[in-house]
Amino acid sequence: ALGLVNEWNNKSVEITGYSKEEVMGKSLVDQYISEDFRESVKSVFDDALDGKGTANFEFPIFTVDQRRIEILLNATTRCNVKGEAIGVLGVGQDITERKMVEIEKATVAQELQAFIDTANA
């Protein structure tokens, strides 16, 4: 499978800053996914082509101005009328803000625990 983008909706444009014309026909994995995540993202898409969808897979993508955006992806097999796999439908959402809140909460929890441990020493 080539893994070439054949649909890029307005939300994708809004999140990444890449226009539909810039992305169509290009390899999403090779051109828009950072090297350290290429293998795992490709595996998710390959699994979907084999009929094994993936839910809630997280990975970063970099915007046109090189900002890191965290994406939550659901990938399912796209089939023709005969039921044959012809591609992958990937639905992603920007979870960057949620991830930042999670990190902040964990940091505060660690600081509180350190304060409690110090107070009890």
Side-chain angles (χ1 to χ4, degrees):
L2 298 175
L4 305 181
V5 176
N6 60 17
E7 185 55 56
W8 194 253
N9 65 24
N10 291 337
K11 193 63 173 177
S12 300
V13 173
E14 181 185 318
I15 290 171
T16 67
Y18 290 106
S19 70
K20 188 172 186 169
E21 295 74 28
E22 288 176 285
V23 177
M24 293 295 285
K26 300 215 169 85
S27 169
L28 179 73
V29 173
D30 291 339
Q31 293 199 259
Y32 301 100
I33 306 299
S34 63
E35 195 170 335
D36 51 334
F37 278 86
R38 282 184 191 145
E39 191 173 313
S40 58
V41 173
K42 184 178 181 331
S43 177
V44 166
F45 288 134
D46 288 346
D47 284 350
L49 277 174
D50 287 337
K52 299 179 291 252
T54 299
N56 302 325
F57 177 75
E58 297 180 20
F59 68 96
I61 191 167
F62 288 89
T63 64
V64 73
D65 59 359
Q66 295 304 302
R67 286 180 298 114
R68 180 182 169 124
I69 302 293
E70 298 294 330
I71 299 293
L72 182 67
L73 176 73
N74 292 305
T76 56
T77 309
R78 186 175 180 189
C79 298
N80 63 16
V81 293
K82 297 177 186 174
E84 301 163 331
I86 58 167
V88 174
L89 176 61
V91 178
Q93 67 185 67
D94 180 353
I95 59 165
T96 307
E97 214 170 289
R98 186 188 89 191
K99 293 284 283 186
M100 289 171 59
V101 168
E102 288 173 6
I103 291 167
E104 192 174 311
K105 283 168 61 175
T107 301
V108 168
Q110 287 175 339
E111 289 171 354
L112 285 172
Q113 188 61 53
F115 180 73
I116 290 167
D117 291 347
T118 302
N120 290 333

